[in-house]
Amino acid sequence: MFDRTAGSHVVELLKQWNIEHIYGMPGDSINELMEELRKVDIRFIQIRHEETGALAASAYSKLTGRIGVCLSIAGPGAIHLQNGLYDAKKDKTPVLAIVGQVTSSSVGTDTFQEL
């Protein structure tokens, strides 16, 4: 039905914005995006906790003046980004957080990891 996935559109935009790497943690709700990232030369730096990814993206942005990017699964993973994103906000430095979500048909049903 569709020629391209949402993940391929996101990756195309990241390439247009000259994003060189992303800090994040793979998981079910972002598998499609992870597959698309595997096909391009954007370096995925796997972290051990989502908060670390957001803080790393913030630090990268502060040190380089470029946008930092972090990636997380839905639900609790997304919540764990808050400290790093708040750090970037307070220092007025650009950070993009890409966050997964449950399938559209599951939204509003209190399904696992819905946020």
Side-chain angles (χ1 to χ4, degrees), residues 90-101:
K90 291 302 283 183
D91 287 335
K92 297 177 175 58
T93 192
V95 171
L96 171 65
I98 302 172
V99 180
Q101 178 57 298

Side-chain angles (χ1 to χ4, degrees), residues 31-109:
N31 281 340
E32 179 184 291
L33 179 60
M34 292 301 299
E35 178 60 21
E36 296 298 330
L37 282 173
R38 188 182 64 78
K39 299 174 185 176
V40 296
D41 62 349
I42 297 174
R43 183 171 175 216
F44 179 75
I45 301 170
Q46 185 170 339
I47 43 81
R48 294 180 65 98
H49 192 280
E50 292 87 353
E51 182 176 5
T52 305
L55 287 166
S58 178
Y60 171 81
S61 182
K62 291 175 192 179
L63 294 170
T64 65
R66 300 181 65 198
I67 187 170
V69 182
C70 55
L71 175 65
S72 170
I73 61 168
I79 298 299
H80 289 301
L81 295 176
Q82 284 185 336
N83 283 338
L85 296 177
Y86 188 73
D87 177 72
K89 176 188 180 295
K90 291 302 283 183
D91 287 335
K92 297 177 175 58
T93 192
V95 171
L96 171 65
I98 302 172
V99 180
Q101 178 57 298
V102 298
T103 59
S104 298
S105 60
S106 297
V107 173
T109 64

